[in-house]
Amino acid sequence: MTINSTVIAGYQALSDIGYLLQNHRHVLLVTDKNIVGIPAVQTLIQQIGSRATLSIVDSVPPEPSQHDVAAIMASLPGKKVDMVAGVGGGSVLDVAKLLSVLCAEDAPSLEALLAGEKPLRRTASLLIPTTAGTGSEATPNAILAIPEKETKVGIISPVMLPDYVVLAPELTTSMPAHIASSTGIDALCHLIECFTATVANPVSDNYALIGMKKLFASLEKTIAEPDNLAARLDMLWASYYGGAAIAHAGTHLVHAMSYPLGGKYHLPHGVANAILLAPCMRFVRPAAVSKFAQAYDLLPNADTSLSEEAKSVALVDYFAALVRRLKLPASLDELGINADHLPYLVEAALDVQRLMKNVPCAVSADDVRKVYLTLFPTLNP
């Protein structure tokens, strides 16, 4: 898969992007109510409004469903949209990518996309992340919740990759620490899962290694120093590289097992991934010792004298400690979720075959159950 997006990055990168709007008459800006009031976003709105007709959708919820997208489509004005600009976290960007397809001429219906029909075209698109986690701006995926099935599905097509991406670190400074932490762990999951997936390749490996080096050096720094724009830009790049790795490879066990947690319990995606990161990586480690050792060597304080085996174990220990240091939940017990739904969770996770086939070792229902069981320490005194 080739990513042809033009990436514009740096402090105040949004201050002069009017030239990107040339020849566009009607721009649809997709965001949420927390983002739309940010001064830099208001400046962007003024830029767009001075050059084109502007429609704004600021109603994207944190975990959008197909019903939310259908409602947005029904609310759009009749005038043809010829550019979709998404400004926000992963949910906003995913919805913007879908709308860029649905607003195109002769577009398939949302129902057809959910049924597997592949889009052939989209409108022009511009994606601007305000969190450093999903890497949605670099992936061909749009993830929607399906409430009726208590899970999530991915609509996937390279057509959805955008024309333009803007990485502006000042847009991420309004993130609360717990959001910066959970989205950062989401980016880490993308990077390490793609790096160790059965479909990993030299292109995805390159993205993953660069991204992990930036993330290991900058994630905790952005929490301790919220106004450190250099660290925040590095995290935006780490997130982007994680998305690019997904575009060329794919995630596996953490994401497969987190989908039902988000679908049934509505856990934020980054939180679900944080809970699962260390247990899942502990399970796959024996099948990916060399790759884990390579990732360990990227840690700022790595002991490069260790054996590959020792490095791989130390990396999993680092993941567990990192989640604790970031004060993210490390178990489902903490969130008031009991083990009664274990059979459902196991079945739902195994049903995500798109990702399960990427796990670098065989995975049985009992394996998945045992990993989930580690999330209930009260059952494992």
Side-chain angles (χ1 to χ4, degrees), residues 21-226:
L21 307 171
Q22 291 176 1
N23 305 317
H24 296 295
R25 296 183 177 182
H26 189 174
V27 177
L28 173 64
L29 181 73
V30 183
T31 187
D32 64 40
K33 298 200 185 301
N34 292 324
I35 299 300
V36 72
I38 294 175
V41 176
Q42 284 295 310
T43 300
L44 174 66
I45 287 171
Q46 292 169 9
Q47 278 194 70
I48 297 173
S50 68
R51 292 172 169 84
T53 300
L54 174 64
S55 299
I56 299 177
V57 169
D58 62 3
S59 57
V60 179
E63 303 285 336
S65 72
Q66 82 273 35
H67 306 301
D68 297 313
V69 175
I72 290 171
M73 282 299 296
S75 73
L76 293 183
K79 192 171 180 181
K80 182 181 177 183
V81 169
D82 61 7
M83 175 179 258
V84 175
V87 187
S91 294
V92 166
L93 300 190
D94 280 7
V95 169
K97 288 192 288 189
L98 278 175
L99 293 176
S100 74
V101 167
L102 294 169
C103 289
E105 193 172 348
D106 300 322
S109 66
L110 178 59
E111 292 75 16
L113 292 175
L114 287 167
E117 183 174 337
K118 297 299 183 184
L120 299 177
R121 61 185 64 84
R122 58 162 171 75
T123 64
S125 66
L126 162 66
L127 298 182
I128 306 169
T130 59
T131 62
T134 69
S136 178
E137 67 279 3
T139 77
N141 307 349
I143 308 299
L144 289 181
I146 307 297
E148 295 81 0
K149 297 183 179 179
E150 296 184 322
T151 190
K152 297 181 179 182
V153 299
I155 297 170
I156 303 169
S157 169
V159 167
M160 290 194 292
L161 288 164
D163 295 293
Y164 308 107
V165 172
V166 178
L167 304 179
E170 65 272 21
L171 287 185
T172 70
T173 58
S174 63
M175 273 193 297
H178 71 281
I179 300 294
S181 296
S182 64
T183 54
I185 292 294
D186 188 24
L188 175 54
C189 290
H190 296 162
L191 293 160
I192 191 64
E193 285 182 272
C194 288
F195 189 53
T196 55
T198 57
V199 288
N201 56 75
V203 175
S204 62
D205 282 359
N206 190 47
Y207 285 129
L209 288 166
I210 296 172
M212 281 190 285
K213 185 172 179 64
K214 288 181 177 295
L215 186 144
F216 291 150
S218 300
L219 174 54
E220 291 183 272
K221 196 177 291 183
T222 64
I223 309 303
E225 306 168 24

Side-chain angles (χ1 to χ4, degrees), residues 120 261 324 375:
L120 299 177
L261 290 175
R324 288 195 299 271
L375 308 184

